[in-house]
Amino acid sequence: MQDTDPANPRRQAERLAAWVRLEQTPGVGVVTAQRLLARFSTPQSIFSASHLALREIVSDSVARALCEPMPDACAAYLDTVFDWLADPDHHLLTFDDPAFPPLLRELAMPPLLLYACGRVALLSAPAVAIVGSRNATGQGAANARAFASALSTAGLTIVSGLALGIDASAHDGGLRGPGSTVAVTGTGADRIYPSRNEALARRIAQEGCVVSEYPLGSGPTPGNFPRRNRLISGMCCAVLVVEAAANSGSLITARLALDQGREVFAIPGSIHAPLSKGCHILIREGATLVDCVDDILIPLRVAPLATLARQPDSSASLHAAQRALLDALGYDPVGADALGALVGCDPAVLAGRLLALELAGHLERLPGGLFQRVKR
């Protein structure tokens, strides 16, 4: 918990309680709260104001709610919050807290509160968001992990949404460098969704930061995720879209980033790949095409990584027949029949070689009987 008055913990608790109560008051959303704070400065002053003074800004029903004693449900929720804050790695950042992310203050609809687990300083660090499909291809996941690792090595924090696919790979890559990673969740900070990312979420809470604007106990309701996307882009200087379908939610994040004045980058792909369509749309709309990390670092005025040692070719140890098969496969999805015709291989032998390459991580099997090479 960020303590702006460590010598007086009781006053600090009263301050936090007033912020939580303001957010919990029926009829008080972000816009209404901003109007009230512009007039009365602090939540405590709002709750001390007269009904007449409040009525000048809000409706009669909201003014009455602000003047009444704290509801039992809100008091019970405050007990939950303070129990959660007893863990030294748990934090509640209010809009007026010095640790509140400065870029989020600039949003048209900033959150009033942020619940965070882990290293809250990362929320104010220079950051890049990496987003993309939940149903990522093996190549897309590898790209997300590699870009995130390189950007984190350059000192940039990787921000994503803890979803399956590209998000999870981006977080994993971010944890590999000093920039680390921040997961912005669509649930309460005490909930992990999806459950398959539980181990990853716990690692992020230890080595990075998990953050949410939603009250503790909030479940994964569909409307939460589009709304949280504005925070993913909002706390970053740029957004990288790795893989996205034409109707992907990642395009929402990218367009929010443009509205917020952030840089948008996209990795192109095969013209035949459905998960490349969204990236191609963004590139046509003005996003910067990238095929290496320096394409991001240089526009952001971060030192390029040209001095880092290049990774060896992971296919160097393959025998001639396997290399010939990979060369024939290329990087576009190809069916087994077409591939067999290219290499002049018996179907049974071809199936065995494809399986061996798949198990070794050099290619992946796609829906519809297609195969795609994976560059590692």
Side-chain angles (χ1 to χ4, degrees):
M1 178 169 56
Q2 298 299 310
D3 194 350
T4 58
D5 189 7
N8 195 331
R10 179 178 177 180
R11 183 177 299 172
Q12 172 67 355
E14 291 174 349
R15 172 184 162 276
L16 286 178
W19 275 98
V20 172
R21 182 184 170 190
L22 179 63
E23 188 183 52
Q24 293 278 307
T25 301
V28 177
V30 172
V31 174
T32 300
Q34 287 179 322
R35 292 205 307 265
L36 288 165
L37 290 168
R39 170 69 181 274
F40 299 104
S41 299
T42 69
Q44 289 150 301
S45 297
I46 293 171
F47 290 112
S48 299
S50 68
H51 177 272
L52 183 61
L54 293 168
R55 188 64 186 84
E56 296 176 0
I57 302 172
V58 297
S59 67
D60 182 69
S61 60
V62 173
R64 290 183 183 278
L66 293 170
C67 290
E68 292 173 352
M70 182 185 299
D72 292 342
C74 185
Y77 177 69
L78 276 170
D79 289 340
T80 299
V81 170
F82 284 113
D83 286 345
W84 184 78
L85 289 172
D87 187 319
D89 290 328
H90 293 171
H91 312 268
L92 179 57
L93 306 182
T94 61
F95 187 78
D96 64 346
D97 194 311
F100 193 89
L103 288 179
L104 291 188
R105 295 183 197 276
E106 301 173 3
L107 300 185
M109 296 282 287
L112 295 180
L113 302 175
L114 287 175
Y115 298 82
C117 307
R119 299 166 54 193
V120 293
L122 292 176
L123 303 180
S124 300
V128 171
I130 297 182
V131 297
S133 174
R134 289 174 170 80
N135 300 307
T137 65
Q139 185 65 73
N143 288 343
R145 187 175 293 107
F147 271 79
S149 177
L151 292 168
S152 180
T153 298
L156 295 167
T157 297
I158 304 303
V159 178
S160 199
L162 198 61
L164 299 174
I166 296 300
D167 287 17
S169 297
H171 288 308
D172 180 60
L175 288 168
R176 301 183 185 198
S180 195
T181 190
V182 170
V184 184
T185 69
T187 64
D190 58 337
R191 300 279 299 271
I192 295 174
Y193 180 82
S195 59
R196 285 168 57 186
N197 281 344
E198 180 174 358
L200 175 62
R202 296 194 185 283
R203 186 181 171 202
I204 295 172
Q206 293 174 352
E207 303 176 34
C209 189
V210 176
V211 64
S212 174
E213 66 177 314
Y214 298 109
L216 298 177
S218 298
T221 58
N224 286 0
F225 296 94
R227 180 181 171 189
R228 67 90 195 264
N229 289 349
R230 81 192 194 288
L231 302 188
I232 293 176
S233 58
M235 66 175 61
C236 298
C237 56
V239 172
L240 169 64
V241 182
V242 178
E243 279 186 335
N247 59 349
S248 170
S250 300
L251 272 64
I252 297 175
T253 305
R255 287 162 177 153
L256 285 169
L258 290 172
D259 291 342
Q260 294 161 351
R262 311 313 193 230
E263 296 274 358
V264 175
F265 302 95
I267 297 177
S270 167
I271 60 172
H272 305 293
L275 291 181
S276 296
K277 299 296 185 183
C279 292
H280 295 168
I281 290 170
L282 290 174
I283 291 168
R284 284 198 298 270
E285 293 178 351
T288 300
L289 183 154
V290 301
D291 61 12
C292 69
V293 71
D294 285 349
D295 291 339
I296 299 173
L297 295 175
I298 292 173
L300 298 183
R301 300 184 180 181
V302 178
L305 297 181
T307 57
L308 289 184
R310 293 189 177 273
Q311 295 296 320
D313 184 358
S314 63
S315 66
S317 62
L318 298 176
H319 59 67
Q322 290 176 319
R323 290 188 61 85
L325 184 55
L326 279 182
D327 290 341
L329 182 59
Y331 292 97
D332 281 351
V334 177
D337 291 343
L339 191 58
L342 285 172
V343 298
C345 186
D346 179 80
V349 175
L350 177 65
R353 290 176 181 171
L354 287 171
L355 178 61
L357 289 170
E358 182 181 4
L359 293 174
H362 293 292
L363 61 81
E364 64 177 323
R365 195 179 301 262
L366 302 177
L370 300 177
F371 295 86
Q372 184 175 34
R373 185 173 180 176
V374 175
K375 180 68 175 177
R376 297 185 299 173

